[in-house]
Amino acid sequence: MCGIVGYNGKEKAVNILLDGLSRLEYRGYDSAGLAIRDKKIEVFKAKGKLDNLREKIKGKRLKGTIGIGHTRWATHGEPSENNAHPHISNDGCVTLVHNGIIENYREMVLKLESHGYKFYSETDTEVLANVIDYYYKKYKNGPMDAINRTMVRVRGSYAICVMFEDYPDELWVARKDSPMIIGISDDGLYAASDVPAILKYTRNVYYIDNMEVACLTKNKVTFYNLNGDEIKKELKEIKWNLSVAEKNGYEHFMIKEINEEDEVIKKTFNSFVHNNKIEFPISDDELKNIKQIYIVACGSAYHVGVCAGYIIEDLTKVSVRVDIASEFRYRHLELDKDGLVIIVSQSGETADSLAALREAKSQGVKTLGIVNVVSSTIAREADYVLYTLAGPEISVATTKAFSTQLIVSYLFGIHLALLKGKITNKEYTSLIKEVSTLGDKTKKILDKLTNDIQKLSSEFANVKDAFYIGRGLDYAISLEGSLKLKEVSYIHSEAYAAGELKHGTISLIEDGTLVIGIVTQDDIYEKTISNLMEVKSRGAYIITISPENIDIPFSDYKIHIPNTSKYFYPSLAVIPLQLLSYYISVSRGLDVDKPRNLAKSVTVE
Ligand code: F6R
């Protein structure tokens, strides 16, 4: 949801800002802009992708060494040059980029209008620039005071990077509930929404917390709290190397990230399993007392939750309730005090998931985050965090983070099952051993199936609809297959519990309709096969994904995956589904990594 970059240093800002924005485009790509200060602040904006902005400034000699940049995912106001950031206050005193939403912006508009302010855009960000300007002029106490007063006055979420006309050597940053990091190198200081934007220049970063302000000069950053008191922060080192944020010869990040899945599965497994024992940062006693589990997440992370729900409940016999975060947060559930709320999130910033976490905490219920981005808000606010080691995921459609979230869910289920006395030591060891094979089995699928699925995909590039069906865990993974297809290919698709089709949806099946059947679960596969037969006899074209030992003779196209325990098939079945979505999108000539209307990190409700 919008990407921000800021730079103040010795080098020309323009190249650093454009490079940083290109690495943040996954956060939004309907317009982009930057402001560079040489003698005065100059602002450039363009609708559409970053290349349009590059085109616009081509040939301009922008010498300034301080500036801010933004790539937008529209919330208030259509994607247009006028609504693109940076936004400027009425007389040009404040220039600002913003990620987030100002919820009471209408109220602020009325207030400012009564003081003679006028607005040129439809954005809440322009209002924010003017609120800062208003306090700056009213109290005349400088940038920090104006920003602090604004933070107290506005509601919503924001990460902002601000330049003041009167302070040519300073860049100001503040945040609440939207991500922001500050990087530091010999060449200058950087502000960014995410690590990849500045990894080329530095690995040394500070994490700025909620309701804090930072002032970046050319060689130093100073942090302040809301009272204006200076605060000290610890410098952290990012361990990733730059190649994880590059395409490395692949055509798209999505296929690169699919091809990284075997490695990140192993890495994540190895970070929790030592000498065949699962080690988590939660005490055994605490886990043993859990009476109810709630898993809350959005999108694909929710689908991990659905898989985890089936698995954890079956293994541990503890009741698991899986909820979509945007529903959970307004359901006003009275949570079980002996419960555990698990939030699954790649970014660790998803607004609804974060709100669900806070709701659980406000009820005094323990929370656990399964999170990929280190030091993200969910990771910091959850009582416990289990990190997935997927590394940076750039493609908007998640693939490798999804796979690592599954691994953590399996390990959590196995660990809790042993603590609850629901599995023997022998079963525990054998389940862990099986999880340890999933990386290699994933690699096998990638090596064996990629070419075939690429060919198959070109045949389905023009289908109008697709249905994904399965039962139990196969239904859970159908949800993910279907989401993956629709988000990157724009083909309408639905996932259905196979037994539910005939209660309505089967009326959509006609000659040639594509139905993808996931058939991995020993105890119920025959029932799914009957359901597949029902659609086949109504003309559907059937693709099946099943282990070698489950044969579906009437399937039009059979995809076989290696055998594993019934609990872990989601990890193997999802790989061909991801490949299918990717190659269908490529065949349709779409922008796979940046599908229309989407953004990677959804920091608004
Ligand atoms: C789909 C996808 C989204 C995310 C969802 C949650 O490919 O990536 O559905 O899974 O927006 O995001 P996180 O995991 O960052 O909370």
Side-chain angles (χ1 to χ4, degrees), residues 297-302 344-350 353 378 393 395-399 405 480 483-484 487 599-602:
C298 301
S300 294
Y302 165 74
V344 187
S345 177
Q346 186 284 127
S347 63
E349 301 291 347
T350 302
S353 305
I378 293 174
E393 194 178 58
S395 164
V396 165
T398 184
T399 53
Q405 289 162 349
E480 178 58 8
L483 177 66
K484 210 84 309 172
E487 69 179 324
K600 180 118 188 112
S601 163
V602 183

Side-chain angles (χ1 to χ4, degrees), residues 229-270:
D229 299 326
E230 190 175 331
I231 45 177
K232 291 282 167 232
K233 296 219 152 251
E234 199 186 331
L235 191 63
K236 299 258 164 78
E237 194 194 343
I238 304 286
K239 304 271 189 239
W240 307 341
N241 62 41
L242 188 60
S243 71
V244 293
E246 306 271 7
K247 283 193 202 142
N248 281 353
Y250 285 98
E251 198 180 339
H252 300 102
F253 278 110
M254 183 171 172
I255 189 67
K256 178 194 175 227
E257 288 163 4
I258 291 173
N259 277 284
E260 286 169 358
E261 288 187 68
D262 54 315
E263 282 305 320
V264 295
I265 283 174
K266 287 184 197 170
K267 247 174 126 175
T268 303
F269 174 86
N270 289 331

Side-chain angles (χ1 to χ4, degrees), residues 77-271:
E78 58 169 6
S80 69
E81 193 169 316
N82 199 39
N83 289 331
H85 303 207
H87 283 287
I88 314 168
S89 64
N90 275 196
D91 64 0
C93 168
V94 174
T95 304
L96 154 159
V97 288
H98 165 220
N99 166 206
I101 282 195
I102 303 303
E103 284 163 3
N104 58 340
Y105 86 106
R106 284 186 202 285
E107 174 194 325
M108 303 308 317
V109 167
L110 294 180
K111 177 184 163 74
L112 292 170
E113 278 177 347
S114 73
H115 290 278
Y117 282 84
K118 301 239 171 324
F119 299 93
Y120 59 82
S121 77
E122 302 150 85
T123 67
D124 51 343
T125 303
E126 186 196 356
V127 180
L128 190 58
N130 284 300
V131 178
I132 296 176
D133 177 81
Y134 171 77
Y135 286 124
Y136 178 75
K137 295 201 171 105
K138 179 168 180 188
Y139 292 101
K140 299 187 175 48
N141 279 331
M144 186 184 54
D145 178 74
I147 293 173
N148 274 350
R149 286 181 191 278
T150 304
M151 288 210 284
V152 174
R153 189 67 177 78
V154 299
R155 288 196 303 277
S157 61
Y158 46 83
I160 53 174
C161 206
V162 195
M163 294 201 284
F164 288 82
E165 180 69 25
D166 300 341
Y167 291 79
D169 301 322
E170 295 175 1
L171 210 58
W172 287 82
V173 167
R175 79 172 277 257
K176 176 180 170 271
D177 292 344
S178 288
M180 180 71 97
I181 52 164
I182 310 293
I184 175 157
S185 82
D186 290 342
D187 290 329
L189 279 94
Y190 310 79
S193 305
D194 199 359
V195 173
I198 57 173
L199 204 53
K200 193 165 160 188
Y201 311 102
T202 183
R203 278 161 204 288
N204 299 318
V205 302
Y206 291 103
Y207 290 96
I208 174 166
D209 276 310
N210 267 348
M211 305 306 266
E212 290 179 352
V213 176
C215 174
L216 281 62
T217 60
K218 298 233 174 280
N219 50 19
K220 152 168 160 236
V221 54
T222 315
F223 294 94
Y224 303 94
N225 63 18
L226 214 46
N227 294 326
D229 299 326
E230 190 175 331
I231 45 177
K232 291 282 167 232
K233 296 219 152 251
E234 199 186 331
L235 191 63
K236 299 258 164 78
E237 194 194 343
I238 304 286
K239 304 271 189 239
W240 307 341
N241 62 41
L242 188 60
S243 71
V244 293
E246 306 271 7
K247 283 193 202 142
N248 281 353
Y250 285 98
E251 198 180 339
H252 300 102
F253 278 110
M254 183 171 172
I255 189 67
K256 178 194 175 227
E257 288 163 4
I258 291 173
N259 277 284
E260 286 169 358
E261 288 187 68
D262 54 315
E263 282 305 320
V264 295
I265 283 174
K266 287 184 197 170
K267 247 174 126 175
T268 303
F269 174 86
N270 289 331
S271 73

Side-chain angles (χ1 to χ4, degrees), residues 281-532:
I282 319 178
S283 76
D284 290 356
D285 283 344
E286 205 154 343
L287 284 172
K288 271 188 214 160
N289 286 331
I290 291 171
K291 306 271 185 319
Q292 167 76 48
I293 292 173
Y294 306 88
I295 306 181
V296 189
C298 301
S300 294
Y302 165 74
H303 299 156
V304 169
V306 179
C307 293
Y310 282 112
I311 298 163
I312 297 171
E313 207 162 61
D314 198 56
L315 276 168
T316 67
K317 311 301 173 211
V318 175
S319 147
V320 183
R321 181 184 170 130
V322 186
D323 265 298
I324 292 173
S326 54
E327 293 294 310
F328 178 90
R329 65 182 291 191
Y330 293 116
R331 190 167 287 157
H332 310 300
L333 274 182
E334 195 173 312
L335 302 174
D336 187 330
K337 295 281 176 251
D338 294 320
L340 174 72
V341 173
I342 302 179
I343 308 285
V344 187
S345 177
Q346 186 284 127
S347 63
E349 301 291 347
T350 302
D352 287 317
S353 305
L354 178 60
L357 172 92
R358 288 178 178 165
E359 171 62 28
K361 289 188 83 173
S362 75
Q363 293 195 32
V365 178
K366 284 270 170 286
T367 55
L368 166 74
I370 299 179
V371 177
N372 194 44
V373 176
V374 175
S375 282
S376 53
T377 309
I378 293 174
R380 282 188 285 173
E381 292 192 14
D383 295 305
Y384 305 101
V385 58
L386 304 178
Y387 279 115
T388 50
L389 300 189
E393 194 178 58
I394 310 289
S395 164
V396 165
T398 184
T399 53
K400 62 174 180 169
F402 180 89
S403 285
T404 56
Q405 289 162 349
L406 283 176
I407 299 296
V408 176
S409 309
Y410 302 153
L411 296 178
F412 182 84
I414 298 167
H415 187 59
L416 190 60
L418 184 74
L419 291 175
K420 292 265 183 193
K422 301 295 180 194
I423 55 172
T424 61
N425 278 319
K426 202 167 153 216
E427 285 165 328
Y428 172 84
T429 310
S430 127
L431 284 168
I432 293 178
K433 194 159 171 243
E434 190 50 38
V435 181
S436 79
T437 66
L438 295 174
D440 286 339
K441 287 179 179 169
T442 298
K443 176 86 177 110
K444 226 167 160 179
I445 296 173
L446 288 168
D447 290 346
K448 193 172 138 225
L449 293 179
T450 299
N451 287 342
D452 293 347
I453 292 182
Q454 184 171 9
K455 269 191 226 133
L456 176 71
S457 303
S458 58
E459 288 173 37
F460 290 97
N462 294 317
V463 295
K464 274 194 6 260
D465 306 288
F467 294 87
Y468 289 71
I469 64 169
R471 286 171 181 252
L473 272 174
D474 291 337
Y475 167 57
I477 215 66
S478 297
L479 291 168
E480 178 58 8
S482 167
L483 177 66
K484 210 84 309 172
L485 182 74
K486 70 183 112 182
E487 69 179 324
V488 297
S489 75
Y490 315 153
I491 291 171
H492 163 254
S493 83
E494 286 184 41
Y496 250 80
E500 184 67 10
L501 263 188
K502 53 182 158 305
H503 297 284
T505 307
I506 202 163
S507 66
L508 296 171
I509 306 293
E510 51 188 17
D511 248 3
T513 304
L514 178 60
V515 176
I516 295 154
I518 323 293
V519 197
T520 68
Q521 299 293 299
D522 258 346
D523 50 342
I524 40 176
Y525 79 89
E526 284 171 337
K527 299 199 183 297
T528 308
I529 291 180
S530 303
N531 301 135
L532 283 167

